[in-house]
Amino acid sequence: MQGDPDNKWSKQIFPSIIMWYGDQANIWNIKEPDLECALITIVGVVYLSFDDINAMKHGGAIYNLAVQHLVRWQHIIGNAAGHVVFKHLNEKATNEDITKEAEATCLLKDHMFAYEDLV
């Protein structure tokens, strides 16, 4: 980020936002006021003298930059999950007498894919 010679945005703020975001109950649906509050808190801790609260509210420069990074993170997580499931289905299809479709249906039932001991 321009104007950030000490790299606090990339080394402290964005990792803190990602850590906060990953700790939310539903990372796919975060409410704007929750993100605003997190940004104000995180930026306030890193930059004690920063007082442009409007930049951290919906539509502000910092808010928009944070959303851009969070959407990128969501894409990376979703893409990685897709690859893991695809690899699992391909290995199951070659190792056992079950089709990819049948295995996918089984994994989706009651979210069994999330619990190793149920599969």
Side-chain angles (χ1 to χ4, degrees), residues 5-51:
D6 53 2
N7 293 318
K8 285 186 177 183
W9 284 98
S10 60
K11 292 183 179 178
Q12 293 179 352
I13 292 178
F14 289 132
S16 297
I17 292 169
I18 294 293
M19 189 164 60
W20 167 83
Y21 196 70
D23 195 40
Q24 302 307 298
N26 182 356
I27 64 167
W28 309 108
N29 187 21
I30 300 295
K31 297 188 180 356
E32 292 169 5
D34 295 341
L35 179 56
E36 289 174 359
C37 183
L39 283 171
I40 291 167
T41 302
I42 292 168
V43 172
V45 168
V46 176
Y47 289 103
L48 299 175
S49 63
F50 191 84
D51 61 355

Side-chain angles (χ1 to χ4, degrees), residues 49-67:
S49 63
F50 191 84
D51 61 355
D52 187 3
I53 300 297
N54 289 330
M56 292 178 270
K57 293 196 177 267
H58 179 71
I62 294 172
Y63 183 92
N64 291 341
L65 190 59
V67 168

Side-chain angles (χ1 to χ4, degrees), residues 78-91:
N79 194 28
H83 284 290
V84 168
V85 170
F86 183 74
K87 184 166 177 58
H88 172 79
L89 292 176
N90 278 337
E91 286 179 0

